[in-house]
Amino acid sequence: MAIVQDWLPASRGNYDTLLFWWQFYPIMGSLQWLVSWYGMGKTSVQSRFNIPGRVAWFTMEIPGFMTLLYYMKTLPLENGITDLPWQNKVLAGLFVIHYTYRAVIFPFIQPSMSPIHFLVWSNAIMFQVCNGSALGGWLAAYGPTTQEAWQAQSSTLQFAIGLVLFYVGLTGNYFSDEELREIRRNELRRQEKLKAKGHTNIEKHYEVPDNGLFRHMLYPHYFMEWVEWFGFLVAAGFSCTPARCFLLNEIFAMLPRAVSGGKWYKERFGEDKVKGKYVIIPGIY
């Protein structure tokens, strides 16, 4: 049953239209170079339009894999496809694995989360629905749907290499997140001790992460997520427009935030504290 007739799931014509315009999302992501405001994380500020962090994160991230799963359930039947190749199912599974962690587990294991502004939240939902539709449509019906088509799309060796890259990125992303969580846990313990001693108006304490990949980079969790989706693109084949769009869209959305964050670290802690660390791209920047 269609949620929005001919759009969710999208008919072939509407899917092609969506995919065409989806390739221009980097323009929107690049607008971040023009503004310093970003209403979440370290740059979150008080606003009547803020949404509690955990609620906002969960509700803005979950539409992506829910949309993809909806496409995988409905679109094959609408197009007379009785069984999809294993490659389609594996790629869909990778997407669900990532967002099961990112959307469902991540917000609830965070020691604390800053509020997220409504504009950030609504843009994220738009991104997730469009991205889930683009990838879901390709995997469910509009991409390769036979083994013969996959032979021209991506070899078994290439697919395996992509899987390895994906899981390397996923693992690096998780452990980098865990390092940031440990810093927040220590901060909460510090604040609790001060409160127990009667202190009020406790200023939030920040520090430069310095374990694991943070020894070399300020934003390894961003970089390793790029590795994940590059692996996904390798597995899907370089001609897979939705996978290529996803990787590029993430880079254009996250790079300005990393550059801004790198400046924030230098201004707050000084050049010496971050000396020798790349911001986000090892060996380059």
Side-chain angles (χ1 to χ4, degrees):
M1 179 179 177
I3 296 176
V4 181
Q5 190 62 39
D6 292 331
W7 278 107
L8 198 61
S11 64
R12 183 55 195 256
N14 287 342
Y15 175 80
D16 291 340
T17 299
L18 168 68
L19 200 56
F20 172 79
W21 288 108
W22 192 226
Q23 296 176 80
F24 293 95
Y25 182 86
I27 296 174
M28 181 179 292
S30 296
L31 294 177
Q32 294 178 94
W33 293 108
L34 305 178
V35 295
S36 58
W37 176 86
Y38 190 70
M40 66 178 291
K42 292 189 293 292
T43 53
S44 177
V45 296
Q46 288 188 346
S47 170
R48 69 177 67 180
F49 299 108
N50 278 351
I51 304 171
R54 298 183 203 279
V55 174
W57 189 278
F58 176 77
T59 55
M60 77 186 196
E61 292 285 306
I62 202 168
F65 84 83
M66 295 299 291
T67 299
L68 181 136
L69 288 175
Y70 174 71
Y71 268 75
M72 296 295 289
K73 178 70 175 178
T74 60
L75 210 55
L77 295 176
E78 290 186 5
N79 288 268
I81 300 170
T82 57
D83 191 29
L84 288 167
W86 62 267
Q87 293 94 329
N88 301 57
K89 298 173 184 177
V90 169
L91 289 173
L94 296 182
F95 191 85
V96 172
I97 287 170
H98 172 87
Y99 278 104
T100 297
Y101 164 63
R102 178 59 57 186
V104 181
I105 298 174
F106 177 85
F108 298 105
I109 63 174
Q110 293 294 95
S112 62
M113 289 193 76
S114 300
I116 297 175
H117 194 277
F118 173 81
L119 289 178
V120 176
W121 176 81
S122 56
N123 180 69
I125 290 177
M126 182 277 291
F127 181 95
Q128 291 293 344
V129 172
C130 289
N131 192 52
S133 295
L135 285 167
W138 192 86
L139 291 171
Y142 303 140
T145 56
T146 64
Q147 286 300 331
E148 291 75 16
W150 268 105
Q151 288 175 7
Q153 181 69 26
S154 174
S155 68
T156 302
L157 176 61
Q158 180 176 331
F159 199 95
I161 292 172
L163 287 181
V164 171
L165 288 171
F166 179 89
Y167 280 110
V168 167
L170 180 67
T171 303
N173 181 260
Y174 174 83
F175 283 106
S176 297
D177 283 344
E178 183 59 24
E179 173 59 23
L180 294 176
R181 281 191 286 269
E182 185 58 29
I183 290 175
R184 292 179 186 177
R185 293 185 192 109
N186 290 335
E187 170 59 13
L188 289 176
R189 286 191 285 265
R190 184 188 73 86
Q191 291 183 16
E192 288 298 323
K193 288 180 181 178
L194 291 175
K195 289 177 182 177
K197 294 178 180 179
H199 291 271
T200 58
N201 298 322
I202 302 170
E203 184 179 350
K204 190 173 182 180
H205 174 77
Y206 292 95
E207 63 180 88
V208 180
D210 204 30
N211 291 325
L213 294 174
F214 284 101
R215 295 176 183 174
H216 313 289
M217 307 165 61
L218 292 174
Y219 284 87
H221 46 314
Y222 282 16
F223 179 75
M224 296 310 291
E225 188 162 332
W226 296 352
V227 171
E228 271 188 82
W229 298 118
F230 177 70
F232 189 96
L233 174 60
V234 170
F238 291 105
S239 65
C240 177
T241 302
R244 186 172 64 251
C245 283
F246 187 18
L247 176 61
L248 291 175
N249 290 347
E250 285 233 323
I251 291 172
F252 275 85
M254 297 163 75
L255 182 59
R257 301 205 296 269
V259 172
S260 177
K263 293 177 181 177
W264 181 88
Y265 275 113
K266 290 178 182 179
E267 290 171 358
R268 189 173 185 92
F269 300 101
E271 291 277 353
D272 290 341
K273 193 69 175 178
V274 297
K275 187 176 181 180
K277 293 179 185 286
Y278 294 103
V279 173
I280 189 169
I281 306 175
I284 298 178
Y285 175 75

